[in-house]
Amino acid sequence: VFQIREGSVLLFLVVQIKWTMIFEATSYRILKVSDTAGWQTLAELPITQTMYLDSAVQNGNIVKYKIQCICKNNTLLETTAIEVNL
């Protein structure tokens, strides 16, 4: 099952997102929701990376993330969104 394993706040307001590896993946796309612009891509990562650090967050906010997996057959898998309270 493709899912986010963890979304946690580290010291100095950095959010760490971890997800499960998909063997058919060619890359992963990290998305973050904005009230004004909807879901925006933060990064596209190689298949060897299953963790992302987001330092563009503000204390007191609730931030939502989801991960997309781009697979070898050009299909797209997407996790359900998670919320991280800062």
Side-chain angles (χ1 to χ4, degrees):
V1 174
F2 183 49
Q3 62 186 10
I4 296 176
R5 293 185 303 144
E6 179 182 346
S8 57
V9 180
L10 304 176
L11 295 176
F12 308 110
L13 287 178
V14 174
V15 175
Q16 180 181 44
I17 304 296
K18 294 180 179 181
W19 58 93
T20 55
M21 176 188 260
I22 298 291
F23 292 106
E24 300 85 15
T26 58
S27 64
Y28 298 107
R29 189 177 297 138
I30 316 311
L31 296 106
K32 179 178 175 179
V33 74
S34 163
D35 290 336
T36 57
W39 289 100
Q40 295 183 326
T41 300
L42 294 179
E44 191 156 326
L45 304 173
I47 59 172
T48 55
Q49 194 166 342
T50 57
M51 188 268 299
Y52 180 77
L53 298 175
D54 181 11
S55 60
V57 294
Q58 294 182 355
N59 194 19
N61 289 344
I62 297 173
V63 184
K64 293 182 183 179
Y65 297 92
K66 63 183 175 181
I67 312 297
Q68 293 178 336
C69 172
I70 297 88
C71 297
K72 292 177 184 174
N73 60 0
N74 289 327
T75 58
L76 185 73
L77 300 176
E78 188 171 275
T79 65
T80 55
I82 64 159
E83 289 186 352
V84 177
N85 295 307
L86 302 170

